[in-house]
């Protein structure tokens, strides 16, 4: 009876151990750099504006759980809104593109994105 319990337990131990060999992305926010931000303004004033940005991972490890904040500005540099967005996993040395959306009024005349505090 003892050997039967171990035979049933063995597949469960193998399945549990399989997860230990998986490499997961590490948090390395300091290696992520926002390279470029572009404000997209659709012709229809009822459509939201978007800050399209490019991030580059300059480090040796994948980056995950990073947040980028984009400040939308209006006339005279007045801050209209600063939404944040999560950046997907970025492999070592890779570049990724993402966006954040401004739904407000008045229309923005500029946008600037930066790495935000980790969430």
């Amino acid at each position: 009876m003892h050997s039967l319990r171990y035979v049933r337990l063995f597949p469960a131990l193998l399945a549990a151990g399989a997860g230990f060999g998986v490499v997961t992305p590490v948090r390395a926010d300091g290696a992520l750099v926002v390279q470029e931000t572009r404000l997209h303004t659709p012709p229809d004033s009822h459509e939201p504006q978007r800050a399209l940005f490019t991030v580059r991972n300059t480090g040796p490890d994948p980056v995950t759980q990073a947040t980028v904040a984009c400040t939308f500005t209006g006339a005279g540099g007045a801050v209209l809104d600063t939404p944040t967005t999560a950046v997907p996993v970025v492999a070592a040395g890779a570049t990724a593109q993402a966006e954040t959306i401004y739904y407000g009024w008045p229309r923005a005349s500029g946008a600037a994105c930066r790495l935000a505090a980790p969430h």
Side-chain angles (χ1 to χ4, degrees), residues 8-72:
R8 288 186 185 163
L9 183 61
F10 187 69
L13 289 173
L14 281 177
F20 290 115
V22 176
V23 176
T24 58
V26 296
R27 185 180 187 91
D29 292 349
L32 199 64
V33 177
V34 178
Q35 289 187 317
E36 177 184 355
T37 302
R38 184 174 65 85
L39 177 65
H40 173 70
T41 302
D44 182 355
S45 64
H46 296 291
E47 291 183 43
Q49 291 177 288
R50 300 172 189 278
L52 309 168
F53 59 91
T54 303
V55 292
R56 177 151 180 84
N57 180 356
T58 59
D61 298 315
V63 173
T64 186
Q65 299 177 359
T67 303
V68 173
C70 295
T71 300
F72 290 88

Side-chain angles (χ1 to χ4, degrees), residues 69-82:
C70 295
T71 300
F72 290 88
T73 54
V79 174
L80 301 173
D81 194 13
T82 305

